[in-house]
Amino acid sequence: MVETFQRENNLAASDLDFHQLVDVEAGWIDRRIFWNTDIYQLELERIFARCWCFVGHESQFIEPGDFLTTYIGQDAVIVAKDRKGEVNVFLNSCTHRGNRVCFAETGTARQFTCNFHGWAFGLDGGLVSIHEEEHYSGCANFDKSKLGLHRARTESYKGLIFATFDPKAPSLNEYLGDYRYYLDVLLDNDPGGTEFLEGNVKSRLRSNWKFAAENFVGDAYHAGWTHASAAAAIFGRGVKVNPEKSFQASVNGHGTEFGLDLIGNAMALGEPEVVDYLKENEARFAERLGKLRAKMVGSMSSANVFPNLAYLPGLNTWRTWLPKGAHEIELNTWVLVNRDAPKSLKEAYRRGISRTFSPTGMFESDDGENWEHCTHSNAGVVTRRQKLHYGLGLDSAIDHEEFPGKIHRVQLNDANQRAFYKRWADLMSASDWSSLDNN
Amino acid sequence: MVTAPANPKNNAPRQASLEVFHLIQQFLYREARLLDEQRYDDWFQLMDEEFTYWVPVPQARYRRDKKGTYERDRMAHFDDSLAELKLRASRWKQRTAWSEDPPTRNIHYISNIEVEPSEGENDWLVRSVAISLRNRNEDEEDWLGGRRIDLIRQTPEGLRLVRREVFIAQTVFLSKNFNTFI
């Protein structure tokens, strides 16, 4: 591998006290974290080039050569299955002049050949051949074995494939930690495992990525107001949260807010078959998850895996918030289903999610509008000086006999958002993984 | 350039008269204006009870790939029956549809109309290009273009839309949302 340059040190931003910008003890957040481009550049280095980022589901890679293209932060990557059956993640940028080497978003390929000078890379990112190689016969420092595409570490958890560019990052299992208990609600409620439905939806929002992430990590509060119109159209009434039997749980900045109502989210899909499936299978889910967790499979809930993978149990939309600058994201969404679920159920999910959580959907339309204007109001210098209130539920921490992680009572709470920003500040302040407390 | 699927029935002898072409053209213009004016109930009156509406999400794949830009079983922006479209529109009419107030200013531009015979005696296969321009709030502007293939039926009550398929060109949907039909 070619010597890679040390990460840039973005001095202007790295001098900032990030734990002061996000005061999670008192519940105030400085708006500059949503606007300043130097902070964003440091996020690319200290969050996205450092954390485990979601890149795909194993069901998207059946045959050798199956690939997709995506991003880790703003680094374009290819995710490809090689002939040994391994899924590899490597930069989508030629080692010769840096041109993109794959322009398709998905498909099957034998290799990835750069359009510029014909340098061709294999399914593991290695340089296989180049156009008219004889020109390099006298070139002392031309060594094909050292000119492969820069690879990321790749690990998977129950079907989800993650990658990191940081050799010092902890293992994926350590990184997810006890949050795996909550991931299993969707990833492991059925012996056959899960798959993504074919295809996905990508859209652009003029929002800072953190507004989307914090919304899914813990903002149950917005549902009743923001989505009042969608709820009225689908249920004929508003969204109500049960304060007694709902919680927020967070681990390492990952988090979920949830009720124990089994079908609350699934109802929003407007597909009765999905609700019936959950009710009929609750006892089966409980065999794998226990009785309490089985009630979370389709409940009123949302979640975000730090930094930018989010999902909604019951609706089963999974999505990444890919940053495209400080003020824009590309939202990529997929639908996760149990592999052994009936075909008609998968079809209900496919069609239901386009009516609800997609850019044309009845719920998502309102979210984008909010996040965009939460972001762009900060163009105003005086506006930017006004801190934002994140103080809901400051005194709501509890111990729970079954739930792992930091637990707060009542899902209407800013607790998970504060935990998300604490993790953010820890990462932004730390020079490397060794100085981070991973729990 | 990836083209939308060809009409398998275009060998049929029947041809659209100037009058039929004119009626269909005016029908499409009126239908587009009803969307601009957000008169969804009037728009739905133009649909057959069995109306289906499909707007697939295109994928950028290599030409040699076995799968195409548009595939039936993939995720779609719309894959709806008439009842499901009415459900979507019912949200826009709620007093609590905050993001629809003030309303979006819509312009649907319709062109490239071709009328071909279809299987049924009273049916026409109608191709057109539709461009949706939306402006919201102060400076928000969103464009979406697509090639449409409609099945339009002549009935005693007038023309009715039986099926619409829209092949949009954006793989990444370059907007936060889509609060109209195309």
Side-chain angles (χ1 to χ4, degrees), chain A residues 16 127 131 163 166 183 216 231 250 266 322 324 351 358 372 377 379:
Chain A
L16 290 167
L127 180 60
H131 176 61
D166 192 336
L183 277 174
F216 274 63
S250 67
L322 300 178
K324 298 286 176 189
R351 298 175 70 240
S358 78
E372 287 196 350
S377 59

Side-chain angles (χ1 to χ4, degrees), chain B residues 142-160:
Chain B
D142 293 283
W143 293 86
L144 184 71
R147 278 205 157 268
R148 305 193 301 194
I149 302 181
D150 295 338
L151 185 67
I152 294 179
R153 181 165 298 156
Q154 287 178 291
T155 77
E157 291 79 39
L159 295 173
R160 290 290 178 271

Side-chain angles (χ1 to χ4, degrees), chain A residues 61-67 79-90 107-113 120-129 151, chain B residues 64:
Chain A
F61 307 91
I62 306 298
E63 301 295 331
D66 286 354
F67 75 89
V79 188
K81 184 168 186 161
D82 63 28
R83 284 179 189 83
K84 289 178 289 185
E86 299 292 318
V87 174
N88 307 281
V89 179
F90 43 87
T108 307
R110 280 181 300 179
Q111 57 187 30
F112 305 100
T113 305
F121 301 89
L123 297 168
D124 59 358
L127 180 60
V128 177
S129 65
R151 288 165 57 93
Chain B
R64 63 175 178 265

Side-chain angles (χ1 to χ4, degrees), chain B residues 128-142:
Chain B
S128 60
V129 167
I131 294 174
S132 155
L133 164 62
R134 294 177 298 149
N135 287 93
R136 278 189 55 67
N137 298 330
E138 291 168 1
D139 58 357
E140 294 175 32
E141 182 159 292
D142 293 283

Side-chain angles (χ1 to χ4, degrees), chain A residues 360, chain B residues 31-32 35 40 43 47 51 53-55 77-78 85 92 106-110 128-134 143-150 161 164-169 173 178-182:
Chain A
T360 61
Chain B
E31 180 234 308
L35 287 176
Y40 301 112
W43 188 74
M47 308 296 147
F51 180 65
Y53 183 60
W54 183 50
V55 185
H77 291 299
F78 295 90
L85 287 179
W92 300 329
N106 278 288
I107 295 172
H108 286 78
Y109 178 82
I110 310 300
S128 60
V129 167
I131 294 174
S132 155
L133 164 62
R134 294 177 298 149
W143 293 86
L144 184 71
R147 278 205 157 268
R148 305 193 301 194
I149 302 181
D150 295 338
L161 202 47
R164 168 162 290 167
E165 299 173 337
V166 190
F167 300 91
I168 64 168
F173 198 80
F178 192 64
N179 55 354
T180 182
F181 303 118
I182 181 169

